[in-house]
Amino acid sequence: MNAVTDRRLPEEPTVPIVFAVFAALLWYLQTPRPHDQGTPDDVLRAAHSLRCQFTSGVLARLDSLPPSRTEDSGTEAVFDAIDRHRGRARLVAPRGASDVSVTVGDHVLTFTELAPSGNPHFTVIFARFRPGTKELLAGDSHYFHDPYGVTAVGQYYGSCRVLQ
């Protein structure tokens, strides 16, 4: 054997690398995420971002006699950057985005948006899981008044899941 053909590559430090990867994986799996934490109250308190889907609802037009009522499919929204101490959050919905106020209750979070017209929009997220899920139950209420058009109230039902 000569020096050219008998060269060995230096051994790689495989044991420390495997150990480091294993330790990082173990840390990740043990780090609690808001949607994995125990009770509905814990999940709601830890949430910084929620995606809500309102799958059914009713729209009642008050400007007709008697008031007319129609089933409505609802919508979805994301409440992001929830800051309970300042009472603010960001609402992102299909119709646009806006800042909303946050009211913290014992077992609820209430988001209030006032449209430029002054019409209020409330979303209440409850510290109760939808059966069989880790999604929080929620209700969404809209109040509309256009002096030249519709006066109506909408009530929608659904659930929210924690994004962060």
Side-chain angles (χ1 to χ4, degrees):
M1 296 199 163
N2 68 33
V4 173
T5 59
D6 194 31
R7 284 192 189 171
R8 290 187 180 186
L9 294 174
E11 289 197 25
E12 296 291 323
T14 56
V15 172
I17 291 173
V18 169
F19 179 74
V21 168
F22 180 73
L25 179 62
L26 187 61
W27 173 82
Y28 173 77
L29 292 174
Q30 290 182 342
T31 302
R33 284 167 288 289
H35 62 281
D36 291 337
Q37 296 174 5
T39 70
D41 282 309
D42 293 338
V43 171
L44 187 59
R45 272 190 224 105
H48 296 286
S49 182
L50 294 156
R51 177 181 299 278
C52 302
Q53 291 189 309
F54 300 97
T55 53
S56 64
V58 174
L59 182 66
R61 289 193 57 166
L62 305 177
D63 52 3
S64 62
L65 287 175
S68 65
R69 180 185 145 147
T70 57
E71 297 291 320
D72 197 12
S73 61
T75 188
E76 71 175 46
V78 172
F79 294 95
D80 197 21
I82 300 169
D83 185 337
R84 289 163 180 78
H85 298 292
R86 290 195 175 117
R88 305 296 303 159
R90 186 82 176 145
L91 166 64
V92 180
R95 68 184 188 287
S98 66
D99 292 324
V100 296
S101 66
V102 178
T103 304
V104 179
D106 288 340
H107 307 283
V108 299
L109 274 182
T110 302
F111 298 93
T112 305
E113 175 190 22
L114 284 178
S117 63
N119 293 324
H121 172 192
F122 302 100
T123 302
V124 179
I125 302 172
F126 301 96
R128 176 164 286 174
F129 292 135
R130 191 176 81 182
T133 74
K134 288 287 189 172
E135 295 178 8
L136 299 163
L137 293 175
D140 192 59
S141 300
H142 297 260
Y143 298 85
F144 311 96
H145 175 67
D146 175 357
Y148 307 105
V150 175
T151 299
V153 176
Q155 181 69 46
Y156 302 90
Y157 312 95
S159 61
C160 303
R161 66 182 174 88
V162 175
L163 297 177
Q164 183 180 33

